[in-house]
Structure formats: structure tokens, C-alpha cells
């Protein structure tokens, strides 16, 4: 379901502009019916494209129309074709401008969404810092070192209260299509997702509170991999750090 979503959401912009390959339409329409995220994105695209089209000036410029009408008078037959051709070129240029504007607008939309993601991430980090402070205040908390290529950090682990917060310095920013995903690893080597996070622009430290579905004492280590946006059921990307409990 997640893979289907990742593949199909790229088609939404083209679909909103009626520019999607007809072969790709049935799969997308079926997916949209059951995917709230794609429904919301499609509504956004449709609003943008509708707003742009409504804002366009009336297509035929009046002087040109006058010339065409004048050219249709008897004795001006040769002029009709010439005028009509140049009018079509103007229309063609207008269509080009519309496509360009739509492109720019969709690009801006993506940038706004990326900023919104960053804002949400910063809010989440502030909440996590408060959790981290309360964990630090507890005597039983362990501080475990992070091992990873070129990365420093630590994991604050409070087994009694089943809480863990990861601190990593200078974690690279990912592309908008990627996320960091935390995995808890049990003694049999089985991996369970403990959540997704991203680095925040301009912040040297990334802080993430693990959400463990089971007591943390069930696990012997944790790792972080780079995964496609939305996360994966099992790790697929490169592991960038690990912590032994
Ligand atoms: Zn979807």
C-alpha cells in the first residue's frame, strides 16, 4: 500500500492538469478512492490550476479581432489567412505561458509543503527536548554512545519508564523523498520500526524520541536507516548509525 502510494502520488500533478497518460489513469483513480493523503494533494493541485486558469485575461485581443473582421470584407480574402495564423501563434504563446505558470506554481507549492514539514519537525523537536530533560533528571537513565561513520551522538535510555531519546550531531539533511527511520533490534535480529524523523535546516543537533511498541528491555540494539518518505515495513536503505543497549 505504501509502495503503491509512493509510485502513484507523482502522477497527481499531471492528473490534475488532465495531462496524465490515459493508461495510468485507472490505477491512480482506484488508489485515490482509498488514500486520504492523495485526495488532499489532488484537491490542492486542482485548486491551484483552477485559480490560474480563472485569472487568465480574455484570449483574443480586441485589435486583432477587429483586423480579422475587417479582413473578411470582400476584396480582403488574402489577408484572412495571414491574420488568422498570427492570432493562432498568440494563442499558442498563451498556452505556453499557462504551462510555464502552472509549472512554477506547482514548484512553489512543493516548496511551501517542504517548509511546513520543517516547521512540524521543529515543533516535534521542542517537545522531544522536554521529554529528554525529564529523562535526564531520572537517576536510572543510561547514556549510550552512537556509532556511525562521521557521526557523534548518544541515546538516553530509561528502561524503567520505557523511554529513549536519540541525540545526533550534524545529521545530513535528506531529500524531500527520504526519511530517517529508527529500528529496534531484538536478540533474534528481528527489526521493528520505532518511528521516522528528519534533520532540520540550521540546527546542529537532531533529537528524536523513539516510540517502542514493546518494552525496550526486549531489544539489544537500535539502528537508523535512510528510507523512502513515509518509511518502510523493513529496512531497505543504508544504515547510518547504531547503538548497542
Ligand atoms: Zn496515496
Amino acid at each position: 500500500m505504501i509502495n503503491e502510494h509512493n509510485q502513484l502520488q507523482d502522477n497527481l500533478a499531471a492528473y490534475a492538469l488532465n495531462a496524465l497518460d490515459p493508461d495510468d489513469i485507472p490505477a491512480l483513480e482506484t488508489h485515490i478512492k482509498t488514500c486520504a493523503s492523495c485526495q488532499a494533494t489532488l484537491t490542492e493541485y486542482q485548486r491551484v490550476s483552477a485559480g490560474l486558469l480563472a485569472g487568465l485575461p480574455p484570449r483574443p485581443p480586441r485589435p486583432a479581432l477587429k483586423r480579422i473582421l475587417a479582413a473578411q470584407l470582400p476584396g480582403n480574402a488574402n489577408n484572412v489567412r495571414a491574420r488568422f495564423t498570427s492570432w493562432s501563434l498568440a494563442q499558442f504563446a498563451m498556452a505556453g505561458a499557462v504551462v510555464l505558470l502552472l509549472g512554477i506554481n506547482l514548484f512553489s507549492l512543493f516548496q511551501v509543503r517542504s517548509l511546513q514539514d520543517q516547521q512540524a519537525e521543529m515543533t516535534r523537536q521542542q517537545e522531544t527536548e522536554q521529554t529528554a530533560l525529564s529523562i535526564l533528571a531520572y537517576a536510572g537513565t543510561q547514556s549510550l554512545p552512537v556509532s556511525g561513520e562521521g557521526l557523534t551522538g548518544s541515546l538516553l535510555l530509561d528502561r524503567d519508564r520505557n523511554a529513549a531519546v536519540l541525540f545526533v550531531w550534524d545529521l545530513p539533511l535528506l531529500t524531500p523523498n527520504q526519511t530517517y527511520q529508527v529500528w529496534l533490534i531484538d536478540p533474534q535480529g528481528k527489526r521493528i520500526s520505532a518511528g521516522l524523523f528528519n534533520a532540520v535546516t540550521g540546527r546542529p543537533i537532531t533529537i528524536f524520541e523513539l516510540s517502542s511498541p514493546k518494552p525496550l528491555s526486549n531489544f539489544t540494539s537500535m539502528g537508523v536507516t535512510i528510507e523512502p518518505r513515509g518509511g518502510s515495513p523493513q529496512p531497505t536503505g543504508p544504515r547510518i548509525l547504531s547503538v548497542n543497549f
Side-chain angles (χ1 to χ4, degrees), residues 138-173:
Y138 180 61
T141 296
Q142 285 179 286
S143 176
L144 306 168
V146 158
S147 46
E149 190 72 24
L151 291 174
T152 53
S154 55
L155 181 77
L156 292 183
L157 184 60
D158 176 350
R159 291 176 207 265
D160 296 344
R161 298 176 191 198
N162 204 40
V165 177
L166 178 69
F167 291 77
V168 189
W169 290 93
D170 299 319
L171 200 59
L173 286 172

Side-chain angles (χ1 to χ4, degrees), residues 31-64:
H31 172 72
I32 289 171
K33 278 180 198 150
T34 60
C35 179
S37 163
C38 284
Q39 281 165 17
T41 308
L42 180 62
T43 306
E44 262 180 292
Y45 287 165
Q46 284 170 335
R47 196 167 46 81
V48 170
S49 56
L52 265 172
L53 292 170
L56 280 178
R59 271 178 298 172
R62 277 181 185 280

Side-chain angles (χ1 to χ4, degrees), residues 4-33:
E4 185 190 61
H5 170 77
N6 287 340
Q7 281 163 13
L8 293 176
Q9 66 178 349
D10 293 334
N11 289 344
L12 287 169
Y15 181 75
L17 298 172
N18 294 323
L20 185 62
D21 191 317
D23 291 344
D24 292 329
I25 290 177
L28 184 65
E29 285 182 341
T30 306
H31 172 72
I32 289 171
K33 278 180 198 150

Side-chain angles (χ1 to χ4, degrees), residues 61-75:
R62 277 181 185 280
L65 190 63
K66 260 187 198 168
R67 281 199 296 273
I68 290 166
L69 291 173
Q72 283 175 333
L73 292 170

Side-chain angles (χ1 to χ4, degrees), residues 106-166:
L106 288 174
F107 179 71
S108 309
L109 190 68
F110 284 127
Q111 286 197 316
V112 167
R113 297 176 105 213
S114 157
L115 284 173
Q116 285 169 342
D117 285 353
Q118 294 258 323
Q119 180 87 48
E121 185 65 24
M122 283 182 83
T123 307
R124 196 188 55 64
Q125 294 238 339
Q126 276 170 350
E127 288 165 5
T128 307
E129 280 161 26
Q130 285 167 1
T131 309
L133 281 173
S134 61
I135 292 180
L136 269 175
Y138 180 61
T141 296
Q142 285 179 286
S143 176
L144 306 168
V146 158
S147 46
E149 190 72 24
L151 291 174
T152 53
S154 55
L155 181 77
L156 292 183
L157 184 60
D158 176 350
R159 291 176 207 265
D160 296 344
R161 298 176 191 198
N162 204 40
V165 177
L166 178 69

